[in-house]
Amino acid sequence: MKCSWSGFWVGLFVVLSLGTGGKLAAHEANNPGVSDREIVIGQTAPYSGPASAFARIHKSEIAYFEYLNSKGGISGRKIRLLSYDDGLSPPKAFEQVRRLVEQDEVAVVFSLLGTAVNISVRKYLNSKKVPQLFAAAQSSSLADPEHFPYTMGLLPTLRSEGRFYGEDIAKTKPDGKVAVIYQNDDFGKDLLAGLKEGLGSERESQIRAQSFEVTEPTIESQIVTLAASRPDILLVFAYPKHAAQTIRKVHEIGWKPAIYVFSGNGSLTSVIKPAGIEASTGILRAAFFKDPTDPRWKDDPEMNEWREYARQHTPDADLSDYLNSSGIAFAKVLEQVLRQCGNNLSRENILKQAQSLHNFPLPLGLPGAVVNTSATNYEPVKFLELERFDGTSWEPVKR
């Protein structure tokens, strides 16, 4: 069965039922979401709203589990993934997650996107002892096993990414004036806090910063305000829509700072092309995944395997867009956890296995990017590489 993006409902919710439909015939050993035929997992995703560009991650995940089911599933069971639209709205996400837990009785909640969305449901899921695994969000607050043991991210934290940029600027532009435009939420503030740590206390007070709300249709006025004093460096801590606006506006007004963007803004489809190739040439970002446009991976066996898989199972997906390939990573890490569970698919054992990943290569990750977890380590991937867009693809920056 092929997965077509046009087959997704973008309305109150999106559901793709993989395997058997309807209520579970019987829970195995009273484990929610598990029967002798299937494992039910759930997620919410921004199929609508300001972060809809990221929905490709979830569509890619759905297609991968469909593919796994065609190969027999996991432990002889099909995966039934329920994926509901949340519009990146925390209140809506909370209601949908509660539905997943209390009505759909999922075994695990998986790959929720967005810092605010994940935080909004974290306390509830922990109180219900439902694993909230591999959040598609990088907030450092999601790496808190002491207070929220059922909540775990996957990728490098925003704090560590911000620190990574600050350290690079401190080393390469020690006297440069720094400006930041950031989302006025936990996502933007976490990146900003890390940036300040990396720059050091002496430069922290010199940062020129402008915030914006994720619901604002345009942030051009904030960009013009920042540009007035012509800082040498601009950091863009925003989702794709506002990142593309910023890059384009900076170019239009003739401001030529060194631009660093959030790692999630490397998509040619969602950021680079809307901003303009010329305007985007030279921008920098942190990376941990192999980018399909990078010539380094033209003959890479893992990337070629993904390309062939994508042509067959997601024929409408843009193979140059790393959001499509990165979704596979989240799905494959969860697959590994479920395989480690064997026939013990209780929520408790799913969490235990998520805490027991040792040097598992990040699927489609850059060399050196591995997944390591424990009961006290909830930062599975720590690897970061600086890359620059050269007008065609992302290339590594050698310092």
Side-chain angles (χ1 to χ4, degrees):
M1 176 179 174
K2 292 185 178 180
C3 176
S4 171
W5 294 166
S6 61
F8 287 88
W9 301 351
V10 182
L12 291 178
F13 60 86
V14 176
V15 179
L16 179 63
S17 178
L18 305 179
T20 58
K23 262 298 201 187
L24 291 178
H27 287 160
E28 191 170 274
N30 295 317
N31 292 334
V34 180
S35 74
D36 58 357
R37 296 177 298 167
E38 65 182 5
I39 305 167
V40 186
I41 61 179
Q43 66 178 200
T44 70
Y47 293 108
S48 62
S52 59
F54 284 126
R56 280 191 294 280
I57 294 172
H58 306 285
K59 294 170 183 177
S60 182
E61 292 164 351
I62 290 169
Y64 183 73
F65 284 120
E66 184 181 45
Y67 163 76
L68 274 186
N69 285 343
S70 72
K71 300 294 183 181
I74 297 174
S75 299
R77 299 172 174 86
K78 299 294 179 70
I79 305 300
R80 186 154 66 100
L81 172 57
L82 306 180
S83 189
Y84 297 156
D85 183 27
D86 62 27
L88 200 68
S89 164
K92 187 174 181 180
F94 185 87
E95 289 305 312
Q96 298 287 37
V97 165
R98 191 166 69 174
R99 173 185 176 181
L100 287 166
V101 173
E102 298 177 14
Q103 296 182 36
D104 300 317
E105 299 183 317
V106 298
V108 58
V109 171
F110 163 66
S111 186
L112 302 187
L113 187 134
T115 297
V117 163
N118 277 278
I119 290 176
S120 74
V121 302
R122 178 178 59 176
K123 185 176 180 180
Y124 168 76
L125 290 172
N126 277 261
S127 72
K128 295 290 186 179
K129 297 185 177 180
V130 178
Q132 179 185 0
L133 295 183
F134 311 134
Q138 296 166 245
S139 172
S140 55
S141 66
L142 299 177
D144 186 3
E146 180 180 357
H147 298 102
F148 299 101
Y150 283 83
T151 299
M152 182 184 293
L154 177 64
L155 304 178
T157 66
L158 297 170
R159 183 70 65 97
S160 64
E161 182 174 332
R163 188 183 308 115
F164 178 75
Y165 295 140
E167 290 172 350
D168 185 70
I169 293 166
K171 180 171 64 175
T172 61
K173 297 181 181 296
D175 300 317
K177 294 188 293 183
V178 178
V180 183
I181 187 159
Y182 68 99
Q183 283 180 198
N184 188 29
D185 56 17
D186 290 326
F187 163 82
K189 292 174 183 177
D190 211 8
L191 282 161
L192 181 60
L195 172 68
K196 290 177 178 179
E197 290 174 1
L199 283 173
S201 57
E202 290 184 2
R203 294 180 74 180
E204 176 182 333
S205 61
Q206 301 170 8
I207 295 174
R208 294 166 175 79
Q210 286 282 322
S211 66
F212 67 93
E213 303 302 324
V214 70
T215 54
E216 291 185 45
T218 179
I219 56 175
E220 291 190 356
S221 63
Q222 290 96 322
I223 299 164
V224 172
T225 299
L226 281 176
S229 59
R230 285 297 193 266
D232 306 292
I233 303 134
L234 174 65
L235 295 107
V236 185
F237 296 153
Y239 289 151
K241 173 185 173 181
H242 290 115
Q245 278 185 10
T246 301
I247 296 166
R248 184 173 62 247
K249 187 64 176 180
V250 166
H251 182 70
E252 287 174 354
I253 63 179
W255 182 18
K256 299 186 182 300
I259 300 177
Y260 293 74
V261 299
F262 163 56
S263 58
N265 287 324
S267 168
L268 293 181
T269 304
S270 303
V271 178
I272 302 300
K273 291 179 180 177
I277 298 296
E278 183 180 354
S280 301
T281 299
I283 65 173
L284 300 157
R285 64 154 186 163
F288 26 83
F289 285 122
K290 295 172 183 173
D291 192 286
T293 67
D294 188 333
R296 285 183 294 169
W297 317 122
K298 179 182 178 182
D299 298 314
D300 179 70
E302 185 183 35
M303 287 298 293
N304 283 339
E305 181 182 358
W306 170 74
R307 291 184 184 102
E308 182 58 31
Y309 156 85
R311 290 187 187 101
Q312 293 184 36
H313 300 281
T314 58
D316 297 333
D318 182 355
L319 297 189
S320 70
D321 190 340
Y322 84 100
L323 291 178
N324 291 311
S325 56
S326 63
I328 296 293
F330 289 89
K332 283 192 170 187
V333 176
L334 181 62
E335 176 193 3
Q336 176 66 19
V337 168
L338 295 176
R339 290 195 185 282
Q340 287 180 193
C341 286
N343 284 318
N344 181 359
L345 287 155
S346 67
R347 287 170 173 169
E348 291 74 16
N349 194 44
I350 291 173
L351 177 65
K352 180 180 178 181
Q353 297 308 319
Q355 296 170 334
S356 305
L357 296 167
H358 304 298
N359 290 324
F360 179 69
L362 178 67
L364 296 171
L366 289 168
V370 294
V371 180
N372 281 296
T373 61
S374 72
T376 57
N377 173 27
Y378 273 36
E379 297 182 51
V381 178
K382 296 182 172 68
F383 178 91
L384 289 166
E385 173 184 274
L386 189 66
E387 294 185 348
R388 176 186 288 109
F389 183 68
D390 67 2
T392 303
S393 64
W394 292 94
E395 60 179 8
V397 175
K398 304 299 182 183
R399 296 299 197 194

